[in-house]
Amino acid sequence: MFERCHSPNEVAHLLRHRYGLPVQLLAGRPMITTGSILGALVMPPDLGRKVLATLDRSYTAPVVADPGERTWTFLVAPPGPSSPVDISVRRCLAGHHVTVIPGGRYVMLPTTDSQLGWHWAGEPAPGVLRMPPRSAVINAVHQVTTMRAPTR
């Protein structure tokens, strides 16, 4: 997919127009900022594979893998209005090496199809960007880790 891109601007253009991602270039790298438009959860790839397989098929979960696949970053729809994840849920997630990325943070986006660079572990469907709700990904983590269900 990226083989025809010869500059960071071309990569950003491709990501914006193919997937509807709100891409910005920072230091020549395509990134998105977490906040009111999208959120992110980071987890180990082994857990990420199970979570991706567990998610409802009506969601096309965009998942970014870092070079060497040490982490997977799930792009999610933030809750509206913005509400933080309960501390008890964050602790349970942290026990499985899952981090809910706070608003205002940058997430690197794929620039290559090779696993030697930032690439898609779960490629979004072309067109209007559709992401799973943050709660759906957290629930999928719960299902595959059998951690105690959070109480509210």
Side-chain angles (χ1 to χ4, degrees):
M1 170 178 82
F2 293 102
E3 65 273 355
R4 286 186 257 155
C5 296
H6 301 292
S7 73
N9 284 329
E10 289 178 1
V11 170
H13 179 79
L14 173 71
L15 293 169
R16 272 188 215 108
H17 293 282
R18 184 172 182 147
Y19 305 114
L21 287 162
V23 180
Q24 55 196 28
L25 282 175
L26 294 172
R29 298 285 313 179
M31 296 188 195
I32 52 171
T33 305
T34 58
S36 62
I37 296 174
L38 57 83
L41 284 94
V42 178
M43 64 188 71
D46 289 344
L47 177 58
R49 283 181 192 85
K50 293 173 188 170
V51 167
L52 196 56
T54 302
L55 282 174
D56 183 341
R57 293 295 171 211
S58 62
Y59 305 123
T60 304
V63 183
V64 180
D66 67 351
E69 292 215 11
R70 292 178 306 269
T71 62
W72 278 19
T73 302
F74 282 71
L75 303 181
V76 297
S82 182
S83 63
V85 176
D86 288 340
I87 297 291
S88 62
V89 175
R90 284 182 184 270
R91 284 187 185 130
C92 288
L93 292 171
H96 297 284
H97 308 286
V98 177
T99 304
V100 178
I101 304 300
R105 301 292 167 87
Y106 297 116
V107 175
M108 302 268 284
L109 291 175
T111 56
T112 181
D113 297 316
S114 165
Q115 291 190 355
L116 299 176
W118 294 88
H119 61 281
W120 291 118
E123 185 174 347
V128 175
L129 183 61
R130 295 185 60 219
M131 300 170 289
R134 181 179 72 188
S135 60
V137 175
I138 291 173
N139 289 338
V141 170
H142 166 68
Q143 286 179 356
V144 300
T145 63
T146 63
M147 66 184 195
R148 280 193 27 225
T151 56
R152 286 203 170 223

